[in-house]
């Protein structure tokens, strides 16, 4: 395999943060020596998450075995995922905002047609449903654990307790028509065909759409980590990958 220099468009603060976490983790384990130091292991993990490169390619570039690369990345991802903000912490941060924006996104996975529970009829593809919370400026604030793609947004939000948590904290939440019936503090556009709505209702829906559109920035931020654009791992690992990316993104922008 040919090896060439490459780059990773990730903030250096994210690299320093992950390297520090790995150093502390190794110190706690009493690790004496490894093929890669904490900084190189952090870089290996960032390259995998950001660029979505396979383990074999990364292993060749870093001069280690494929199994070792997998173990190093899995260790770092698990460490990061454990630091992800809980729903309570995300809602506490949301309470400091005028309102938040909620939407679901589908993370595509490599599955065959027989895997019906993972098939999203809305997106016409297999994937995992992740609920995203953004602030009024479209900055990523939180991301839920991943559910099968067949789960609708309103059901996912309820299963995670997002709607109830926002209501208890009296946080206004803007969402789209996929959350019809949510109630509480969730603000929705008027339902129905455009030509059946009154002039006032159409104006409200236009204003609502402009506000809700900012959540797309948060979703784009999440998917700027290219590994999440096409997941080829076990579905049981998706949540930890999303949480790891969330922690790195919050670290880089915090």
């Amino acid at each position: 395999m040919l090896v060439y220099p490459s780059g990773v468009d990730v903030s250096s603060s994210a690299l320093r943060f992950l390297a520090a976490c790995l150093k502390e983790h190794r110190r706690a384990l009493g690790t004496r020596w490894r093929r890669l130091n904490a900084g190189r292991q952090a870089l290996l993990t960032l390259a995998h998450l950001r660029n979505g490169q396979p383990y074999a390619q990364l292993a060749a570039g870093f001069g280690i075995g494929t199994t070792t690369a997998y173990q190093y990345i899995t260790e770092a991802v698990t460490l990061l995922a454990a630091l992800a903000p809980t729903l309570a912490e995300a809602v506490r941060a949301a309470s400091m905002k005028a309102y938040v924006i909620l939407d679901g996104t589908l993370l595509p996975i490599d599955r065959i047609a027989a895997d019906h529970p993972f098939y999203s009829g809305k997106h016409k593809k297999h994937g995992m449903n992740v609920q995203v919370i953004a602030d009024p400026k479209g900055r990523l604030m939180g991301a839920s654990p991943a559910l099968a793609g067949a789960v609708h947004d309103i059901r996912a939000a309820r299963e995670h307790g997002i709607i109830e948590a926002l209501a208890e904290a009296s946080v206004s939440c803007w969402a789209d028509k996929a959350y019809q019936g949510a109630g509480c503090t969730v603000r929705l556009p008027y339902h129905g065909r455009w030509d059946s709505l009154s002039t006032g209702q159409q104006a409200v829906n236009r204003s609502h759409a402009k506000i809700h559109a900012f959540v797309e920035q948060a979703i784009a931020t999440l998917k700027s980590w290219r590994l999440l654009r096409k997941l080829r791992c076990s579905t049981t690992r998706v949540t930890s990958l999303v949480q790891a990316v969330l922690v790195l993104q919050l670290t880089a922008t915090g």
Side-chain angles (χ1 to χ4, degrees):
M1 186 177 293
L2 298 177
V3 179
Y4 65 95
S6 184
V8 184
D9 56 339
V10 178
S11 168
S12 59
S13 61
L15 177 63
R16 291 193 298 269
F17 173 78
L18 180 52
C21 290
L22 289 169
K23 286 180 182 178
E24 181 59 32
H25 179 64
R26 292 183 180 190
R27 189 177 299 112
L29 292 177
T31 303
R32 294 185 177 181
W33 181 86
R34 290 197 182 186
R35 292 293 303 276
L36 299 180
N37 60 32
R40 294 286 286 172
Q41 183 181 355
L43 183 59
L44 170 73
T45 304
L46 293 177
H48 177 65
L49 294 174
R50 190 68 172 186
N51 294 339
Q53 289 179 296
Y55 298 116
Q57 291 181 6
L58 290 170
F62 281 81
I64 56 178
T66 303
T67 301
T68 301
Y70 172 81
Q71 292 173 342
Y72 279 5
I73 292 171
T74 300
E75 179 184 47
V77 166
T78 302
L79 203 60
L80 286 170
L83 301 175
T86 63
L87 175 60
E89 292 171 336
V91 171
R92 192 177 305 118
S95 65
M96 305 298 291
K97 307 293 182 179
Y99 58 87
V100 295
I101 313 170
L102 175 66
D103 200 3
T105 187
L106 188 79
L107 302 181
I109 59 174
D110 186 16
R111 285 293 179 273
I112 59 174
D115 292 324
H116 184 70
F118 299 99
Y119 185 77
S120 169
K122 175 182 177 181
H123 298 89
K124 307 301 181 185
K125 63 177 68 173
H126 292 79
M128 302 294 287
N129 181 306
V130 173
Q131 298 294 298
V132 176
I133 300 175
D135 71 5
K137 294 184 178 181
R139 290 174 297 201
L140 184 64
M141 294 186 66
S144 74
L147 295 176
V151 177
H152 295 290
D153 285 339
I154 180 62
R155 177 184 162 191
R158 283 174 172 162
E159 284 195 21
H160 296 310
I162 296 173
I163 295 173
E164 293 76 8
L166 292 173
E168 289 179 5
S170 299
V171 178
S172 295
C173 172
W174 296 73
D176 60 19
K177 294 178 181 179
Y179 296 86
Q180 286 290 338
C184 300
T185 57
V186 179
R187 298 185 179 184
L188 303 172
Y190 284 102
H191 186 66
R193 293 175 57 88
W194 183 257
D195 54 9
S196 68
L197 300 178
S198 67
T199 302
Q201 289 174 331
Q202 290 178 355
V204 169
N205 280 11
R206 287 194 192 96
S207 176
H208 188 285
K210 289 179 181 178
I211 294 173
H212 187 265
F214 279 97
V215 76
E216 296 300 329
Q217 295 182 21
I219 293 174
T221 296
L222 191 67
K223 292 185 177 181
S224 66
W225 298 80
R226 298 174 186 85
L227 183 70
L228 300 183
R229 296 180 187 176
K230 185 65 174 182
L231 292 157
R232 293 178 172 81
C233 61
S234 168
T235 55
T236 59
R237 295 187 59 225
V238 176
T239 292
S240 61
L241 289 171
V242 171
Q243 291 175 335
V245 166
L246 175 63
V247 170
L248 289 171
Q249 190 60 47
L250 293 177
T251 298
T253 59

